[in-house]
């Protein structure tokens, strides 16, 4: 069996998605998500000009060797662009494997550890009242875990809170906009949001919060400590995880669980975090973290240290990634929680999906492989539109972290 062709499809039903479609000489094809928000074209170029020429002629069943061909063998390795491309290849090959063996992906990963995959949704409001209103609506819809993000008094626009009444979309058309940030205003405000949320919703609902890397280790320690009475399910990206040792400080001050790594792309981003048990959930999603082949290893390493999966799953990751993540999380023992924001309705015109939400959980049907298809004619109706994530400056103008 041989790979006969591989095609990169970029479309923009409401937002940009990059999909890799790998064809074989036996007629079976597989899909992989290659979407990297704001950097869609570089991933497509990397795939088309670097990976695809080598991929053609390979035996698609050799997922392990092909993964290493594109990771270990190249002199220049890693980085978000290259790893997203590799993730897409890997996902598409596992999709083919499932279709060839006529079995859903989760069966290839160990079968069912559970039927449904617990998910969390987003409640994003301009102030406390609106955030809690949105959370109440989500709970009404059946969600058992909700992430709360709110506008901060004194900060003009807070990342992750949609402008006006638009759907959640952190990338804006054109070049990056600048947002301004004030950590002390943020730190003074957030504990009160969670205090009110616990008063409103009681103890049973899981509450989460994303710091988007915007604290120093000691600021993050203060926040995690002050949030302790409100028992968060997790505090996400409290500091920039690239300094892994920075988490030691936070850990020594607080029992608030920590989730890290949506911007990571390798097991080597996690070694200190995992082996010193400095985090509780790995966020690195299949689409940016080297696909199923690599995440199986990261999840296995994490499980030894009692760390669980908590994959990134915002709407800028395509339905192909989400479906693959549901299979993965259904199978691995140390699944924790999956992020889930429903895609805009228009996305379903292009992608036909295999999962459905019920009562706080995502369920996947037993279609072979990943179970998602893409209608190329419909995709062509929605051409790529340039959009960028904002950049972040402190209120005095200093360039600041993601
Ligand atoms: O910033 O998906 O946890 N979720 C997040 C997201 C990410 C975007 C980046 O493209 O932090 O909102
Ligand atoms: Co995040």
């Amino acid at each position: 069996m041989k790979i006969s062709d591989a095609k990169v499809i970029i479309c923009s039903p409401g937002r940009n998605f990059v999909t890799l479609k790998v064809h074989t000489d036996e007629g079976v094809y597989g899909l992989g998500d290659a979407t990297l928000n704001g950097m869609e074209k570089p991933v497509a170029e990397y795939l088309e000009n670097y990976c695809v020429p080598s991929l053609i002629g390979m035996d698609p069943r050799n997922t392990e060797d092909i993964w290493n061909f594109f990771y270990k063998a190249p002199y220049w390795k890693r980085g978000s662009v290259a790893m997203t491309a590799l993730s897409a290849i890997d996902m598409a090959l596992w999709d083919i494997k499932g279709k060839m063996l006529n079995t859903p992906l989760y069966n290839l990963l160990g079968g069912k550890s559970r039927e449904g995959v617990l998910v969390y949704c987003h409640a994003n409001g301009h102030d406390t009242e609106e955030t809690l209103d949105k959370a109440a609506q989500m709970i009404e819809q059946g969600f058992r875990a909700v992430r709360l993000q709110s506008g901060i008094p004194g900060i003009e626009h807070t990342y992750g809170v949609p402008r006006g009444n638009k759907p959640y979309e952190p990338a804006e058309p054109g070049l990056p906009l600048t947002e301004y940030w004030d950590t002390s205003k943020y730190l003074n405000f957030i504990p009160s949001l969670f205090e009110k949320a616990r008063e409103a919703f009681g103890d049973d609902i899981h509450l989460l919060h994303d710091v988007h890397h915007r604290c120093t280790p000691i600021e993050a320690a203060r926040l995690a400590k002050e949030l302790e009475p409100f028992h968060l399910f997790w505090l996400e990206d409290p500091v920039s995880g690239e300094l892994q040792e920075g988490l030691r400080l936070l850990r020594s001050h607080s029992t608030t669980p920590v989730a890290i790594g949506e911007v990571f792309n390798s097991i080597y981003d996690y070694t200190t975090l995992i082996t010193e048990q400095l985090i509780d959930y790995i966020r690195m999603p299949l689409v940016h973290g080297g696909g199923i082949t690599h995440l199986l290893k990261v999840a296995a390493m994490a499980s030894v240290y009692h760390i669980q999966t908590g994959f990134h799953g915002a709407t800028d990751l395509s339905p192909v990634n989400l479906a693959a993540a549901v299979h993965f999380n259904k199978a691995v023992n140390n699944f924790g929680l999956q992020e889930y924001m429903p895609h805009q309705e228009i996305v379903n015109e292009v992608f036909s999906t295999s999962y459905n939400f019920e009562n706080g959980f995502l369920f996947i049907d037993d279609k072979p492989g990943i179970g998602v298809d893409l209608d190329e004619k419909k995709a062509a109706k929605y051409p790529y539109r340039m959009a960028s994530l904002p950049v972040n400056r402190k209120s005095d103008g200093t360039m600041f972290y993601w």
Side-chain angles (χ1 to χ4, degrees), residues 93-361:
L93 300 188
W94 280 90
D95 192 23
I96 291 170
K97 206 188 279 292
K99 287 174 179 170
M100 290 300 296
L101 297 170
N102 195 27
T103 194
L105 175 62
Y106 70 82
N107 257 344
L108 304 176
L109 310 179
K112 290 181 212 175
S113 285
R114 54 195 66 73
E115 293 291 340
V117 163
L118 183 67
V119 295
Y120 74 93
C121 63
H122 289 206
N124 307 303
H126 295 94
D127 53 24
T128 301
E129 202 189 332
E130 195 188 7
T131 306
L132 296 187
D133 277 355
K134 293 216 169 140
Q137 288 165 25
M138 295 303 182
I139 293 164
E140 186 64 35
Q141 286 172 31
F143 283 99
R144 295 157 189 241
V146 188
R147 184 187 97 161
L148 305 181
Q149 304 296 127
S150 169
I152 313 294
I155 297 183
E156 198 187 316
H157 178 259
T158 307
Y159 178 77
V161 179
R163 291 167 203 271
N165 268 336
K166 288 201 271 183
Y168 183 85
E169 177 48 71
E172 297 279 348
L175 291 170
L177 297 176
T178 301
E179 292 183 344
Y180 291 93
W181 181 249
D182 187 319
T183 308
S184 62
K185 288 193 166 68
Y186 169 74
L187 289 177
N188 289 338
F189 168 75
I190 289 295
S192 74
L193 174 68
F194 282 86
E195 185 177 11
K196 288 179 185 137
R198 274 289 169 235
E199 276 167 21
F201 306 125
D203 289 333
D204 285 346
I205 289 293
H206 297 309
L207 299 176
L208 300 88
H209 180 65
D210 191 346
V211 187
H212 292 115
H213 316 104
R214 286 172 182 186
C215 287
T216 63
I218 197 66
E219 289 164 351
R222 168 184 156 189
L223 180 62
K225 192 169 163 177
E226 291 186 6
L227 287 173
E228 244 173 44
F230 314 118
H231 298 148
L232 267 61
F233 189 96
W234 76 43
L235 186 65
E236 178 185 338
D237 290 331
V239 295
S240 166
E242 62 187 3
L243 178 68
Q244 298 186 46
E245 294 84 341
L247 272 295
R248 290 181 190 142
L249 190 66
L250 189 160
R251 217 45 167 176
S252 65
H253 287 282
S254 165
T255 57
T256 296
V258 174
I260 280 204
E262 71 181 35
V263 300
F264 288 0
N265 52 64
S266 164
I267 198 162
Y268 295 108
D269 293 325
Y270 273 114
T271 44
T272 303
L273 294 176
I274 291 179
T275 56
E276 293 189 23
Q277 293 172 285
L278 298 178
I279 58 170
D280 303 280
Y281 298 92
I282 49 170
R283 289 281 292 155
M284 190 166 83
L286 300 175
V287 56
H288 302 144
I292 292 146
T293 297
H294 195 45
L295 259 306
L296 279 173
K297 291 169 191 179
V298 181
M301 181 177 172
S303 79
V304 174
Y305 294 90
H306 297 225
I307 294 167
Q308 294 169 279
T309 66
F311 292 164
H312 185 207
T315 41
D316 49 273
L317 283 54
S318 95
V320 180
N321 173 77
L322 181 58
V326 178
H327 284 285
F328 190 102
N329 288 322
K330 183 166 173 163
V332 297
N333 174 261
N334 59 325
F335 162 68
L337 185 64
Q338 171 66 47
E339 183 175 18
Y340 171 54
M341 305 171 72
H343 289 100
Q344 292 177 51
E345 203 47 55
I346 188 175
V347 176
N348 302 325
E349 273 185 38
V350 175
F351 293 93
S352 57
T353 60
S354 50
Y355 44 78
N356 67 292
F357 172 80
E358 214 185 301
N359 234 340
F361 294 83

Side-chain angles (χ1 to χ4, degrees), residues 33-36 43 47 79-89 287-290:
D33 184 13
T35 312
L36 186 61
V43 179
L47 277 166
S80 301
V81 172
M83 291 305 287
T84 302
L86 175 48
S87 302
I89 294 170
V287 56
H288 302 144

